Amino acid sequence: MTSKPGRPRSDQAHQAILQAARTLVVQHGYDGVTVEMIARVAGTGRQTIYRRWPGKAELVLDAFVSHAGVEVDEPAAGGSCEQAVTRFLERTFLALEETGPALRSLMAHAQRDPGFRQLFLDRFIEVRRNSLRRLLRQGIDRGELPADAAIEAAVSALYGALWYRLLLGEVLDHAYAQQLATLILDGLRPRCR
């Protein structure tokens, strides 16, 4: 195996760049941040960034994906399906307390840039949807939900409610997480006739 010419990539620089990108976008929004700003805060050069990412959109997305993977994507085991979905929503809402405004700016940018919209959908949105799908499928496996439960509709409804409140700057709290989980899971369960 041959190595590429030049200096080896520094993991420390990589992490500093991701942290700087995330921090700056949280503070200033996506459109208020440049690659030059990120490089300055990370203590690297712009070329270091461009060797790793083709542009700002991909870098910022990586910064949020790596953070969300730690903050949200690992649902806690145990309890009922409703408890698991409530905990998942609570963790998501807690993460959004800090990153909500930045995610609103990323969503706004996604509406103007089809390439970024696809990246955002594939690498950020769909990963979160898959985490929620897993929780609902566990509910099916444990017999808490029927085998024909409308999982896709439930995922869309939960995330639609989340994004609606997030985009309007409304409260996302424990009470809302519980209400939303109960509402959706009650809708998935078979009705008495």
Side-chain angles (χ1 to χ4, degrees), residues 12-30:
Q12 185 177 1
H14 187 83
Q15 293 306 315
I17 292 165
L18 290 174
Q19 181 61 45
R22 190 177 161 284
T23 299
L24 287 168
V25 171
V26 165
Q27 291 172 349
H28 305 289
Y30 180 83

Side-chain angles (χ1 to χ4, degrees), residues 170-192:
E170 294 181 352
V171 175
L172 293 166
D173 59 10
H174 171 74
Y176 187 59
Q178 276 189 316
Q179 293 166 357
L180 200 50
T182 299
L183 178 71
I184 294 300
L185 292 170
D186 281 354
L188 291 175
R189 292 183 182 113
R191 303 219 185 298
C192 296

